[in-house]
Amino acid sequence: MTTTKQREVIQEQFKERMDEDQLLNCMRCGFCLPSCPTYIESGYQESHSPRGRIALMKAVVDGLIEPDEDVERSLDLCLGCRACEPVCPPGVNYGHLLEEARDIVNQNKTHSLPVRALRKIVFKDLFPHQGRMRTLTGLLGVYQRTGLQNFMHKSRLINILPENMSTMEKVLPKVPTLKEMKNRPNHLDALGTRKKRVAFFSGCLMDTMFLETNNATMKLLQVAGCEIVIPETQTCCGALHSHSGEKSGAMELAKRNIKAFEDLQVDYIISNAGGCGAFLIEYDHLLKDDPEWSERAKAFANKLKDISAVLVELELQHKPIRLPAQIITYQDSCHLRNVMKTSKEPRQLLQSIEGIEFIEMKDADRCCGSAGIYNIVESEMSMKILDTKMAHTKATHATTIVTANPGCLLQMKLGIEREGLSDRVRAVHIVDLLAEAVEYAQKA
């Protein structure tokens, strides 16, 4: 909720902070419309398209409209998938406009007490502190291993949760023990001849809930000939903060990460999560106005690569990798494709696996509806988008759905569960599948 005074402040900050050149660069051509999931699923409402949202931002800057609830609603409903950017003729950087607008609105509105408390816990007390992330994830592991999860399902107490939340609970990965999460390496040698020295961005959720995927990532890098450094002082990438209107928190996390990685003398900094990688690679934009950090951020961003790009460069696709016969399809991570410009490399790796048939999914580059916590806070729209995605997935007859981001992975698992396909279809992160293929080929 915003008061009249708050709306005046928001309007003034829009004038001061929004990039008017980017706003003016939008030609209103409409090339972005077919690529925007919320425009399509809302019944082609202009206010829920990139072009419409830019028009609203510009109107606020020009004083033609107030930054009222309708403007805020339009911004909130955006997935931030940035599929509009690759198809935009003048190259408007819509994602930067969206995050700046969200930060202005969020920092100048009055949240309810429960929302303020929740935001403080999530953005200040939890995600920036990896030890606390491990503890919380460890509690989830206790819930899974002690029989409490089975009790919740058998007693149907789980049905107290909203339907999509109770379904999401079913598809969460098996969480490692607290001991396993704490026992993490900080250096690994290459297997065989060393070709590259790389640093690994382990992330917060990736190094707790998705620990096995991180382990598989490091195994693949070693097989490909990489010496790996994993700095202990790294922290959350800050993407969730920035997407949720907490820009200052994101900037602080960025500085901590830059400091953790900058003196390691590595060829690349490796990410295995599309959402994290896309935010990390834009640290130079995030800190562009900070004279102490702008060049350091640029040096950091220039070394950032997705795991699939490095594996292709080091020719993992030419090594013996094999799986039992199955049909595989690939769902792009929006940010990996649209921000990191990495789409062909995952496909090259998948198509190099002997024994499988790769089928391209219709609109594989369209968002699955996960978008960080979007599937929780905007459940209705998220499920509409997911339903469309699952229709395209089923048309491939794939038994394995591959993606490259933890949020996408959980969303596709959610879709599988909702469609009643869990007995014959699986969703898997690309590095887990590749590690499986390497191991299977070694045993053959």
Side-chain angles (χ1 to χ4, degrees):
M1 176 180 290
T2 54
T3 64
T4 300
K5 179 62 176 176
Q6 286 171 326
R7 286 196 292 272
E8 290 174 357
V9 173
I10 290 171
Q11 193 145 30
E12 190 59 35
Q13 289 199 8
F14 261 68
K15 292 177 182 177
E16 293 174 1
R17 291 174 52 183
M18 296 301 292
D19 188 333
E20 193 157 10
D21 287 339
Q22 288 289 315
L23 293 173
L24 288 170
N25 280 344
C26 178
M27 298 161 52
R28 313 291 191 263
C29 64
F31 275 46
C32 60
L33 301 183
S35 69
C36 179
T38 55
Y39 173 71
I40 294 166
E41 298 295 345
S42 67
Y44 307 103
Q45 290 187 43
E46 182 71 18
S47 62
H48 296 323
S49 72
R51 178 176 71 179
R53 292 183 179 104
I54 290 173
L56 290 174
M57 295 177 203
K58 184 69 168 66
V60 172
V61 169
D62 292 343
L64 300 177
I65 62 172
E66 288 190 344
D68 58 15
E69 284 75 11
D70 290 337
V71 173
E72 185 177 352
R73 181 64 190 142
S74 175
L75 298 176
D76 286 345
L77 199 62
C78 181
L79 292 147
C81 70
R82 297 173 70 167
C84 50
E85 293 182 14
V87 298
C88 178
V92 175
N93 201 315
Y94 171 82
H96 295 167
L97 292 172
L98 175 69
E99 294 195 350
E100 195 71 17
R102 281 178 169 172
D103 186 63
I104 293 168
V105 171
N106 180 67
Q107 297 303 321
N108 293 284
K109 67 179 290 187
T110 303
H111 293 291
S112 66
L113 183 59
V115 170
R116 286 203 306 273
L118 181 61
R119 291 180 72 92
K120 180 180 182 296
I121 291 170
V122 170
F123 297 124
K124 290 184 169 61
D125 299 334
L126 181 59
F127 275 86
H129 305 281
Q130 190 65 358
R132 297 174 190 176
M133 289 290 293
R134 291 192 189 108
T135 300
L136 182 63
T137 309
L139 292 175
L140 177 59
V142 171
Y143 166 76
Q144 291 176 335
R145 289 188 293 271
T146 57
L148 182 57
Q149 185 177 36
N150 289 334
F151 170 76
M152 290 292 287
H153 285 276
K154 288 180 180 178
S155 66
R156 299 187 179 179
L157 285 173
I158 196 70
N159 294 335
I160 296 172
L161 295 173
E163 182 181 355
N164 72 311
M165 291 289 288
S166 61
T167 307
M168 183 68 79
E169 185 268 353
K170 292 180 185 177
V171 302
L172 290 174
K174 295 300 179 185
V175 175
T177 65
L178 192 58
K179 181 179 179 181
E180 289 171 324
M181 286 186 279
K182 287 182 177 179
N183 187 26
R184 308 300 291 137
N186 52 39
H187 180 271
L188 293 166
D189 290 320
L191 296 177
T193 304
R194 190 188 84 165
K195 298 178 182 178
K196 298 287 182 183
R197 174 179 161 90
V198 302
F200 178 49
F201 182 81
S202 53
C204 45
L205 279 177
M206 289 303 299
D207 215 40
T208 50
M209 188 178 294
F210 296 93
L211 182 70
E212 287 307 310
T213 301
N214 269 5
N215 289 341
T217 301
M218 290 186 282
K219 176 182 176 181
L220 288 173
L221 287 170
Q222 287 179 288
V223 168
C226 292
E227 177 191 358
I228 311 166
V229 183
I230 308 102
E232 294 182 13
T233 54
Q234 63 179 296
T235 185
C236 170
C237 68
L240 183 62
H241 292 70
S242 186
H243 301 335
S244 304
E246 296 283 345
K247 185 178 178 180
S248 61
M251 293 171 75
E252 286 307 310
L253 292 171
K255 292 173 183 177
R256 285 170 60 184
N257 280 323
I258 292 167
K259 188 174 181 180
F261 282 86
E262 65 184 347
D263 295 326
L264 297 180
Q265 304 297 314
V266 294
D267 298 298
Y268 302 127
I269 299 169
I270 309 297
S271 169
N272 64 359
C276 295
F279 195 69
L280 293 166
I281 208 168
E282 291 198 329
Y283 274 2
D284 55 341
H285 172 78
L286 183 68
L287 298 171
K288 63 183 173 58
D289 296 322
D290 189 318
E292 181 185 349
W293 290 91
S294 59
E295 288 302 316
R296 296 165 73 179
K298 189 179 296 183
F300 177 96
N302 286 340
K303 287 190 174 183
L304 212 289
K305 275 187 178 287
D306 180 69
I307 175 67
S308 62
V310 173
L311 293 178
V312 167
E313 180 181 333
L314 297 178
E315 300 186 329
L316 181 74
Q317 70 274 22
H318 298 316
K319 291 181 180 290
I321 50 177
R322 184 176 181 83
L323 285 173
Q326 58 192 285
I327 298 174
I328 289 177
T329 193
Y330 178 68
Q331 162 61 23
D332 283 284
S333 157
C334 296
H335 289 100
L336 181 60
R337 183 184 185 104
N338 300 326
V339 182
M340 296 191 76
K341 313 301 183 189
T342 303
S343 60
K344 66 178 182 180
E345 292 91 342
R347 289 170 169 83
Q348 284 179 261
L349 291 165
L350 293 175
Q351 290 168 349
S352 71
I353 301 174
E354 296 178 31
I356 66 100
E357 180 182 1
F358 180 81
I359 303 292
E360 187 71 35
M361 182 196 308
K362 180 184 177 183
D363 294 335
D365 58 345
R366 183 169 293 174
C367 186
C368 64
S370 172
I373 58 172
Y374 187 95
N375 56 3
I376 298 173
V377 299
E378 297 290 349
S379 176
E380 183 180 354
M381 178 60 75
S382 176
M383 293 304 103
K384 285 182 180 180
I385 293 167
L386 179 58
D387 288 344
T388 300
K389 180 63 63 178
M390 290 309 299
H392 294 162
T393 301
K394 287 191 290 184
T396 68
H397 303 289
T399 54
T400 301
I401 306 168
V402 182
T403 188
N405 188 59
C408 304
L409 179 60
L410 289 180
Q411 184 80 339
M412 298 310 294
K413 286 187 174 185
L414 179 61
I416 290 169
E417 189 72 26
R418 280 165 54 90
E419 295 288 336
L421 300 172
S422 56
D423 60 334
R424 55 190 183 277
V425 180
R426 64 171 178 161
V428 62
H429 192 290
I430 187 170
V431 298
D432 290 313
L433 189 76
L434 291 170
E436 184 183 327
V438 168
E439 185 175 348
Y440 186 83
Q442 289 172 346
K443 292 179 179 178

